[in-house]
Amino acid sequence: MLKLTKLATAAALVAAGSAAMAGEVEVLHWWTSGGEAKSVGELKRIMQGKGHTWKDFAVAGGGGDNAMTVLKSRVVAGNPPAAAQIKGPGIQEWASEGVLANLDATAKTEKWDSLLPKVVADVMKYKGNFVAAPVNVHRVNWMWANAAVLKKTGVAGTPKTWDEFFAAAEKVKKAGLIPVAHGGQNWQDFTTFESVVLGVGGAKFYSDALVKLDQKTLTSATMTKSLETFRKVKAYTDAAAPGRDWNLATAMVIQEKAAFQFMGDWAKGEFTAAGKVPGKDYICAAAPGTASAFTFNVDSFAMFKLKDAAAQKAQADLAAAIMGTEFQEVFNLNKGSIPVRLNMDMAKFDDCAKLSSKDFVETAKSGGLLPSIAHGMAVIPAAEGAIKDAVSQFWNNDKMSVADGVKSIAKAAATK
Ligand code: BGC
């Protein structure tokens, strides 16, 4: 028995060596919209250029909830992909199951520690070892607007406060267009919610409420005001919003059917794919009241332990490629995000990306740099899921009082 195993191992090593270590890399992600598919296509191209085989494991569903369900079943069955799009505290949870690979050798050769902001590097590590590779920095607290719609409905300038926003929304509504393009899916409701909380309460309030999950803050008068504002935003969405995918909501803005969308800058990937120009066709502005803050959402690939030597080599090459300058530039140009690798040349990026980059650096100093709760950056997945559900229950049920909404969100936040 022992001999057989040894023989098999030796044969596997010979086979792997003779194939010049070209391996297959199976990558789980949820990038299926136009801009997203273009972006991930660049990673595929780079990996194929290194001689590896790309096995696409795309699970549709914005925000990644479906992808995470599928991933769990694959790992439980003992058949994980080489890499999966896993983010924030979720990385730590997976690592604590003992299923993630140690990427320190690649990280050391490629000098990841000196090329990444420390707040990002820390999230990619478990007990001091790299187990995931970051691809980008998305900013969540954006508001997208169609310039022509604003013009023809008489909205002068992009609203900077919630009062200005509602005045603008009223004008758009009177002109017979849809003020807010929204897709009624839990994660999209939650995305809007976090921007409203940030805009109404400010950075410290957001951090106490949605990062520290402090009960006193969660049940405060400012939370009441946040929920009132959130409900008011809903009044400016259309009746067909429930269930709509986020990229279809972005398309409504692109096609001049709607004025605004609250969405992270993956929405910019859709504008870019449609050939639209920021500042001319559309406007990117911080959500009302949030200009001096930045809710970040760092996409990253956690790597799973693999047995096959060629697959391990392909996996290490994937990790190195993700942090390489070629990928960081071309991927983020398409995706709408900014490079996570420090000191990248931003010359080819548009004004929205340049603003994002500047604000990322500035908010890191001012205390306005905050993890996005709606995108897996702020709290453990169980608490995030519970709060997300409570937020959508409130959003979907106009009969629920604001007081009950506040209570149910605070209760959900106590989920361990
Ligand atoms: C991810 C983005 C993705 C978006 C929509 C977010 O959680 O971070 O990369 O484009 O969901 O699917």
Side-chain angles (χ1 to χ4, degrees), residues 213-336:
L213 304 181
D214 172 53
Q215 282 293 322
K216 238 179 119 187
T217 312
L218 282 163
T219 49
S220 65
T222 309
M223 203 42 142
T224 300
K225 184 143 188 255
S226 301
L227 260 70
E228 283 164 1
T229 309
F230 183 53
R231 176 161 279 167
K232 219 170 153 192
V233 172
K234 188 193 167 188
Y236 290 101
T237 62
D238 67 323
R244 177 189 286 138
D245 285 330
W246 69 271
N247 53 318
L248 299 182
T250 309
M252 290 164 63
V253 179
I254 294 175
Q255 293 159 9
E256 297 186 20
K257 291 182 182 142
F260 301 105
Q261 183 185 21
F262 296 103
M263 189 49 67
D265 43 22
W266 45 95
K268 202 186 74 187
E270 300 304 295
F271 285 100
T272 307
K276 301 294 176 190
V277 180
K280 182 175 155 270
D281 304 314
Y282 70 98
I283 297 157
C284 56
T290 73
S292 54
F294 189 121
T295 38
F296 67 87
N297 169 20
V298 174
D299 282 315
S300 49
F301 283 104
M303 310 274 167
F304 284 84
K305 281 181 182 158
L306 302 173
K307 294 195 187 83
D308 175 64
Q312 286 174 359
K313 172 77 171 68
Q315 185 183 52
D317 282 355
L318 176 71
I322 284 172
M323 274 291 290
T325 49
E326 180 195 359
F327 171 77
Q328 288 279 322
E329 181 178 83
V330 72
F331 177 87
N332 287 303
L333 280 170
N334 286 297
K335 188 71 171 60

Side-chain angles (χ1 to χ4, degrees), residues 30-31 36 61-64 85 87 136 138 187 246 263 266 297-299 335 374-375:
W30 62 90
W31 291 329
E36 291 176 333
Q85 193 183 348
K87 305 189 291 184
N136 61 1
H138 271 304
W187 73 273
W246 69 271
M263 189 49 67
W266 45 95
N297 169 20
V298 174
D299 282 315
K335 188 71 171 60
H375 292 276

Side-chain angles (χ1 to χ4, degrees), residues 26 52 55 71 176 221 279 302 326 379 404:
E26 185 180 23
H52 298 301
K55 192 168 176 198
L71 175 64
E326 180 195 359
V379 301
D404 284 349

Side-chain angles (χ1 to χ4, degrees), residues 377-390:
M377 295 285 115
V379 301
I380 54 162
E384 182 193 324
I387 303 170
K388 176 159 53 186
D389 287 348

